[in-house]
Amino acid sequence: MLRTQTCGELNLQHVGQNVTLCGWVNRSRDMGGMTFIDLRDRYGITQLVFNITSNAALCMEARKLGREFVLSAKGIVAERSNKNLKIPTGEIEINIESFEILNPSKIPPFTIEDETDGGEELRMKYRYLDLRRTVNKKNLELRHKMSIETRNYLNSQGFIEIETPVLIKSTPEGARDFVVPSRMNPGQFYALPQSPQTFKQLLMIAGFDRYFQIVKCFRDEDLRADRQLEFTQIDCEMSFVTREDILNTFEGLARHLFKAVKNLDVPTFPRMTYQEAMAEYGSDKPDIRFGMKLTELNDLAKGKGFRVFDEAELVVGICAEGCSEYTRKQLDELTEWVKRPQTGAAGLIYIKYGKDSSIKSSIDKFFSPVDLTAIIQRFNSKPGDLLFIMAGPKEKTRFAMNDLRLEMGNRLGLRKSGEFKPLWVTHFPLLEWNDEARRFYAMHHPFTSPLPEDIPLLDTDPGAVRANAYDLVINGVEIGGGSIRIHNKELQQKMFKVLGFTDENAQDQFGFLMNAFEYGAPPHGGIAFGFDRWCTIFGGGDSIRDYIAFPKNNAGRDVMIDTPAGISDEQWKELNIKPLKP
Ligand code: ASP
């Protein structure tokens, strides 16, 4: 090794020892007769000292070293007179006797510090320099810990990790496929997996019983802070299990990760049906770190002559505790906020329940004090509270109310980082009607089994069929989802029919799976977790990009290697495809 120790491990016990360290020049300072250099590596920072009286030539050489030069430095560990107790190596320094420049460095385009002066685009272009920053290093260390602990737990439970292919045929998970042209089969394409869904089911048919894989998946969709074109799943499948078995097994995984990575003991996860989640939170991924539940008011609000309420499918409200002193200006600002297209509310009604028990509202014209008191009582409000009410079509209004609830949660500091509230959401609808395409889409994917008691509804009222599916939600973020699968050819065929596939089409695309069902497919089910998201939640970050070594930007570009990029004429020819003429 070129070094005897790392830059993160020397302390008072090592005083007097001869050591050689390697690393990058983080910072250097000249103080009269001394030059100090902070040498940095993956493990920490150690102070190197050059003394002009003991070795003038060496000290002059050291003064020429620039930021990010790579050094090997040899010297003796000494106790520092000016100690820095904030870092583990802050009580010692190294009196340097000789050093070697292993490689010089250009001046980096931004400072390699936690609070860097580099903008996002610049840091992405020089991601290898960005990754030298402690924040990013810590994020990748957390990610490593998460993956090791996931493997430890699943291995301890008898799961076997099996790789599935990357060049496959389209597996519909609701997004667009990335396709790869086949040189050897002109005019034909592979698709990159949106998930290993069909393969993991085939592994169950093969008898593997408990499978997992930490695996890259690819979905060609528009990007947001919590989405990347390529992302990582913890993908799992089990045979001979019920939904309960799966929830318990993977609650075990989640609890193991909470303990091993965050040192937290989390109580049993609550369960909530999709229908409850939508009614009480307006969302299928509720943040249950705080209350402020949605309360339906149709019976109290209608029939008082207020058209907005009378004509609405749903009148629903939330109670913001202790907010009755909100000013006109604050209320107007919130009203504008909910009317932004992202939230899309038509307006916002308020009832102030003053600290002195007075009641004031924006609907005083239509509602008597008795009417307003009845509404206040429905919320169990206390003097000092503020009620917000919205009205309109059910889905849209719940959506907007959920937005407002989360925003109020943020403004009131109720969504505390460092607090974790996981839950399972179950009983999702199997199908979603798409008005544009005039057909049903699978809410999860077409391999999800209906709840057994709802199977007859497939023929009569498909929209009402509930799925044997579940999501793991933590703090309002969907961390994972899965289902018990269909393992019977006839039911799978019926499902494809409901989804608008012709028999031919279904056979063409998924014949391999349906044929396999005829060779002794065991009952099975599974789940997949968004690994990048889970790391982000545990790390307390805002964007999954910060937990991915080399992420793509919002336009789907890797600005460091500058891709996607064109290909040569030669490659076009080889692939036997022609570029579209503009
Ligand atoms: N393949 C599904 C997904 O990617 C997860 C599952 O059903 O196991 O969402």
Side-chain angles (χ1 to χ4, degrees):
M1 304 273 183
L2 296 182
R3 60 186 172 190
T4 55
Q5 268 101 351
T6 69
C7 296
E9 63 182 277
L10 295 172
N11 55 43
L12 287 176
Q13 285 174 2
H14 301 92
V15 168
Q17 280 188 20
N18 264 304
V19 298
T20 305
L21 300 183
C22 293
W24 287 261
V25 174
N26 198 56
R27 213 182 282 169
S28 77
R29 299 178 301 284
D30 296 325
M31 318 266 278
M34 314 271 245
T35 291
F36 297 99
I37 286 184
D38 286 344
L39 195 69
R40 183 195 68 238
D41 66 9
R42 183 183 144 192
Y43 308 91
I45 285 184
T46 298
Q47 177 164 288
L48 313 182
V49 191
F50 301 83
N51 193 323
I52 203 143
T53 38
S54 53
N55 192 339
L58 192 72
C59 195
M60 294 322 284
E61 279 308 304
R63 286 184 181 184
K64 291 190 215 146
L65 296 171
R67 268 159 56 194
E68 301 307 317
F69 273 48
V70 191
L71 304 186
S72 149
K74 203 168 169 173
I76 296 172
V77 182
E79 180 168 359
R80 262 204 230 183
S81 51
N82 198 357
K83 297 195 169 64
N84 173 4
L85 297 179
K86 284 193 210 131
I87 57 171
T89 58
E91 291 186 281
I92 56 96
E93 58 195 6
I94 320 291
N95 287 320
I96 298 301
E97 295 174 338
S98 65
F99 72 85
E100 189 188 339
I101 297 176
L102 300 177
N103 218 341
S105 168
K106 291 214 253 177
I107 295 172
F110 50 86
T111 52
I112 315 276
E113 306 277 349
D114 282 359
E115 298 299 328
T116 175
D117 57 359
E120 167 134 30
E121 191 79 6
L122 190 65
R123 283 185 288 112
M124 284 300 157
K125 178 155 181 204
Y126 295 93
R127 182 66 171 163
Y128 47 92
L129 296 181
D130 198 25
L131 290 177
R132 286 184 190 167
R133 297 166 57 228
T134 311
V135 260
N136 288 324
K137 188 191 71 192
K138 286 214 168 109
N139 290 350
L140 293 188
E141 282 170 358
L142 175 110
R143 187 180 172 108
H144 166 71
K145 181 117 209 238
M146 293 279 287
S147 68
I148 289 286
E149 291 300 340
T150 298
R151 289 199 163 95
N152 285 346
Y153 176 82
L154 291 174
N155 183 51
S156 78
Q157 299 297 308
F159 284 79
I160 166 170
E161 184 165 18
I162 303 177
E163 290 164 276
T164 51
V166 171
L167 296 174
I168 65 165
K169 185 158 145 172
S170 174
T171 299
E173 294 273 2
R176 229 174 262 121
D177 285 321
F178 279 102
V179 295
V180 179
S182 164
R183 178 184 57 82
M184 286 187 288
N185 305 274
Q188 295 191 318
F189 292 79
Y190 302 97
L192 302 184
Q194 291 187 37
S195 85
Q197 185 61 37
T198 48
F199 286 96
K200 67 174 170 175
Q201 293 192 239
L202 292 166
L203 287 170
M204 293 304 107
I205 299 172
F208 280 100
D209 207 52
R210 289 179 169 214
Y211 140 96
F212 86 101
Q213 184 180 193
I214 300 185
V215 60
K216 273 289 173 77
C217 301
F218 306 85
R219 296 183 190 179
D220 188 1
E221 21 181 32
D222 294 338
L223 300 183
R224 299 195 302 244
D226 63 348
R227 286 220 177 126
Q228 283 273 305
L229 301 175
E230 53 177 301
F231 61 98
T232 304
Q233 282 189 343
I234 307 170
D235 189 47
C236 312
E237 198 75 7
M238 301 171 84
S239 290
F240 308 117
V241 285
T242 61
R243 178 176 75 228
E244 274 310 297
D245 300 321
I246 293 191
L247 299 192
N248 291 331
T249 303
F250 293 101
E251 193 164 318
L253 169 64
R255 203 169 283 119
H256 175 79
L257 292 178
F258 270 114
K259 187 68 195 171
V261 180
K262 304 293 297 177
N263 196 23
L264 286 175
D265 294 294
V266 186
T268 309
F269 301 179
R271 312 258 171 102
M272 201 183 287
T273 65
Y274 170 87
Q275 293 72 19
E276 284 163 352
M278 293 309 290
E280 293 181 4
Y281 296 92
S283 165
D284 59 1
K285 38 178 190 292
D287 183 347
I288 57 167
R289 278 174 297 180
F290 67 111
M292 216 190 278
K293 286 188 190 172
L294 275 59
T295 299
E296 300 199 5
L297 299 169
N298 281 14
D299 58 325
L300 297 178
K302 286 175 182 258
K304 306 285 175 192
F306 182 42
R307 280 243 317 263
V308 175
F309 286 176
D310 290 345
E311 290 172 3
E313 185 184 3
L314 177 72
V315 184
V316 66
I318 54 172
C319 173
E321 285 177 24
C323 293
S324 69
E325 317 262 276
Y326 267 35
T327 60
R328 180 85 238 174
K329 201 169 146 219
Q330 280 174 299
L331 292 169
D332 286 348
E333 186 262 327
L334 266 177
T335 309
E336 284 318 305
W337 190 89
V338 296
K339 284 177 162 175
R340 292 169 319 126
Q342 299 94 303
T343 299
L348 187 60
I349 302 241
Y350 69 83
I351 303 176
K352 281 181 177 179
Y353 190 17
K355 284 191 178 141
D356 56 358
S357 298
S358 64
I359 301 176
K360 221 173 136 244
S361 82
S362 51
I363 44 173
D364 283 349
K365 239 170 78 189
F366 303 96
F367 286 75
S368 71
V370 175
D371 297 332
L372 294 173
T373 305
I375 295 180
I376 285 172
Q377 280 170 352
R378 169 78 42 98
F379 285 92
N380 280 325
S381 295
K382 297 177 300 306
D385 290 351
L386 172 65
L387 307 184
F388 290 114
I389 301 175
M390 288 182 189
K394 197 188 233 167
E395 240 170 72
K396 222 180 127 203
T397 308
R398 280 179 170 171
F399 176 87
M401 214 29 156
N402 165 55
D403 255 9
L404 177 63
R405 174 181 176 269
L406 294 178
E407 177 65 15
M408 288 307 295
N410 284 337
R411 292 187 185 195
L412 299 175
L414 303 173
R415 305 178 74 190
K416 298 194 191 76
S417 65
E419 185 182 4
F420 296 95
K421 285 283 174 74
L423 79 151
W424 292 106
V425 180
T426 61
H427 295 75
F428 283 84
L430 184 71
L431 304 161
E432 247 173 337
W433 179 255
N434 183 304
D435 254 343
E436 233 168 83
R438 304 214 49 75
R439 73 168 180 88
F440 282 110
Y441 279 86
M443 185 136 174
H444 190 43
H445 52 57
F447 315 108
T448 295
S449 170
L451 282 177
E453 62 268 33
D454 286 5
I455 290 177
L457 287 174
L458 271 177
D459 295 315
T460 53
D461 186 6
V465 177
R466 289 164 307 164
N468 208 348
Y470 31 79
D471 276 0
L472 175 64
V473 176
I474 304 179
N475 294 359
V477 179
E478 181 199 325
I479 292 292
S483 57
I484 296 295
R485 325 297 183 186
I486 296 168
H487 64 283
N488 155 295
K489 183 173 183 179
E490 285 68 45
L491 187 56
Q492 189 66 69
Q493 269 171 334
K494 177 171 245 165
M495 182 69 182
F496 282 126
K497 197 167 254 148
V498 175
L499 293 174
F501 283 73
T502 62
D503 280 348
E504 223 174 33
N505 250 337
Q507 190 57 36
D508 205 39
Q509 278 191 56
F510 300 108
F512 66 94
L513 186 66
M514 289 190 287
N515 294 344
F517 284 167
E518 295 188 298
Y519 291 94
H524 61 285
I527 192 163
F529 301 96
F531 185 60
D532 315 280
R533 270 191 207 171
W534 205 340
C535 293
T536 309
I537 280 263
F538 270 20
D542 297 323
S543 167
I544 65 169
R545 279 204 284 269
D546 298 339
Y547 294 80
I548 296 173
F550 298 104
K552 301 204 171 27
N553 73 7
N554 266 344
R557 297 197 68 82
D558 182 325
V559 292
M560 181 180 66
I561 59 173
D562 195 17
T563 205
I567 56 172
S568 68
D569 291 346
E570 206 35 52
Q571 284 171 304
W572 281 115
K573 232 182 271 150
E574 238 168 40
L575 294 171
N576 227 327
I577 47 178
K578 289 191 184 61
L580 282 178
K581 290 263 161 7

